[in-house]
Amino acid sequence: MNNKLLLDNLRSIPDWPIKGVNFRDVTTLFKNAECLKTIADEMYDLYKDKGITKVVGIESRGFVMSSALAIKLNAGIALCRKPGKLPCETVQESYAKEYGIDTIEIHKDAIEEGDVVLLHDDLLATGGTMKAACDLVRKFKPKKIYCNFIIELLDEGLNGREVFDKDIEITTLLKL
């Protein structure tokens, strides 16, 4: 899709958080009302006919658009968070990162068997966090799982799409 408005308003921060990384800062898209509306409209167009019943926002930038999209799709929302952030009983999934193990969790009653679930986050790079979120959501036995990102980084060596099972449909608004 690579919408020009979004590309023109996306901030890049060289050498952050470490040297050699060109960080893509979606907060500049969120603060611009026209960009925010464009993202919501484009995401809605992608999923309006998919029967989505739950949108899962991935901590923390994924919360912003997942909420807006859930409203437009007339779907519920669930939050996928780091351990200890959700107040009720949770289900967890751990996954390997570059420098150790990380864990995400979701409320045990957040998703029902047979839901059609859309997981959303801001950026697809290596895919580790979203893959873990997909594995976590699978425990609930949903009818279908979709994944969406605002940005997909196509830099050599990241290969984020390759970590996902073939039955997961992945969409992105910007490919960089």
Side-chain angles (χ1 to χ4, degrees):
M1 294 180 147
N2 279 7
N3 182 294
K4 183 171 176 11
L5 172 71
L6 300 181
L7 289 171
D8 288 348
N9 283 277
L10 180 64
R11 176 169 44 201
S12 295
I13 303 169
D15 296 324
W16 196 86
I18 60 173
K19 188 168 181 55
V21 171
N22 188 21
F23 184 79
R24 306 304 176 134
D25 181 13
V26 294
T27 64
T28 55
L29 302 177
F30 296 161
K31 75 177 186 174
N32 179 312
E34 189 177 358
C35 289
L36 198 59
K37 182 177 181 337
T38 298
I39 294 168
D41 289 347
E42 286 190 7
M43 287 173 49
Y44 174 74
D45 285 342
L46 289 169
Y47 294 102
K48 65 185 176 191
D49 299 321
K50 304 283 187 182
I52 305 296
T53 57
K54 293 280 173 43
V55 179
V56 175
I58 310 301
E59 186 167 331
S60 66
R61 291 178 299 271
F63 294 166
V64 177
M65 294 313 303
S66 61
S67 299
L69 187 56
I71 291 167
K72 288 176 78 81
L73 291 171
N74 195 31
I77 188 162
L79 304 180
C80 189
R81 303 211 59 193
K82 295 175 184 171
K85 301 289 185 178
L86 295 170
C88 293
E89 192 174 352
T90 62
V91 178
Q92 295 185 336
E93 184 73 26
S94 294
Y95 60 102
K97 290 179 74 172
E98 292 176 60
Y99 302 105
I101 302 293
D102 210 347
T103 302
I104 54 172
E105 59 186 23
I106 193 168
H107 276 139
K108 192 174 187 177
D109 62 355
I111 298 169
E112 297 175 21
E113 189 172 325
D115 270 335
V116 178
V117 180
L118 169 62
L119 291 94
H120 170 75
D121 205 357
D122 66 322
L123 183 95
L124 172 57
T126 64
T129 303
M130 184 62 87
K131 171 67 165 98
C134 284
D135 292 345
L136 181 58
V137 167
R138 274 195 201 280
K139 293 177 181 180
F140 293 92
K141 299 182 176 139
K143 187 176 183 179
K144 177 78 175 154
I145 298 173
Y146 298 92
C147 291
N148 172 265
F149 302 88
I150 297 171
I151 299 168
E152 179 177 5
L153 296 179
L154 300 174
D155 294 338
E156 219 173 289
L158 292 176
N159 303 318
R161 282 181 183 258
E162 293 179 13
V163 302
F164 294 92
D165 297 336
K166 298 301 177 207
D167 66 327
I168 303 291
E169 181 182 309
I170 300 169
T171 60
T172 61
L173 301 184
L174 301 174
K175 293 183 185 227
L176 307 174

